[in-house]
Amino acid sequence: MNTRRDIRGNRAALFDGIEEGGIRASSSYSSHEIDEHDNERAMEGLQDRVILLKRLSGDINEEVDNHNRMLDRMGNDMDSSRGVLSGTMDRFKTVFETKSSRRMFTLVASFVVVFLVIYYLTR
């Protein structure tokens, strides 16, 4: 029990003169001056946070703008590739719709020859 009193006594001696909030009370400062000092410190902290948030929101805005430009470019590239693909499909349609059996025979024969050449080269 005596050790508990010693610990409490040491703790009281260690924290003697410290008010709530960690401000050391002094006879030269009034409570009004301490409150103003705390308010100024809190305002500086808030100002730093506001500056940080403003910088972060600016960075986010810049990143969003970059991504929007990239998506626009991708959309334009997809539109142009869709145009090329539709043109190719139209050409295939015209080749297959022609009644010329000679063209069809040439096309099928060339596919068979290419397939056989690839087969023998890989074997």
Side-chain angles (χ1 to χ4, degrees):
M1 281 234 164
N2 197 13
T3 57
R4 280 191 175 172
R5 287 184 187 162
D6 290 340
I7 291 172
R8 287 182 185 166
N10 290 338
R11 187 177 293 171
L14 181 63
F15 294 109
D16 190 32
I18 297 179
E19 293 181 355
E20 191 174 340
I23 300 171
R24 188 172 296 274
S26 170
S27 61
S28 64
Y29 292 114
S30 69
S31 65
H32 180 67
E33 290 174 347
I34 291 173
D35 290 340
E36 284 184 21
H37 182 67
D38 286 344
N39 286 342
E40 288 176 10
R41 223 179 332 155
M43 283 178 51
E44 288 174 1
L46 286 174
Q47 185 178 10
D48 292 341
R49 289 180 185 168
V50 167
I51 290 170
L52 177 68
L53 287 173
K54 183 177 178 182
R55 195 175 311 142
L56 283 174
S57 64
D59 291 344
I60 290 171
N61 185 30
E62 183 179 329
E63 196 69 27
V64 166
D65 288 342
N66 287 338
H67 282 105
N68 282 339
R69 281 193 295 271
M70 182 173 54
L71 288 173
D72 286 341
R73 283 194 307 262
M74 283 179 55
N76 293 338
D77 291 344
M78 292 299 281
D79 287 342
S80 66
S81 66
R82 186 177 299 133
V84 170
L85 186 61
S86 66
T88 304
M89 291 303 293
D90 289 342
R91 287 187 202 114
F92 272 124
K93 283 180 185 177
T94 56
V95 166
F96 287 120
E97 287 175 356
T98 56
K99 300 291 183 188
S100 171
S101 61
R102 186 175 177 191
R103 278 189 180 174
M104 188 59 76
F105 177 74
T106 307
L107 183 66
V108 171
S110 62
F111 279 128
V112 170
V113 170
V114 168
F115 176 74
L116 291 175
V117 168
I118 291 173
Y119 176 73
Y120 285 118
L121 288 176
T122 58
R123 210 175 126 197

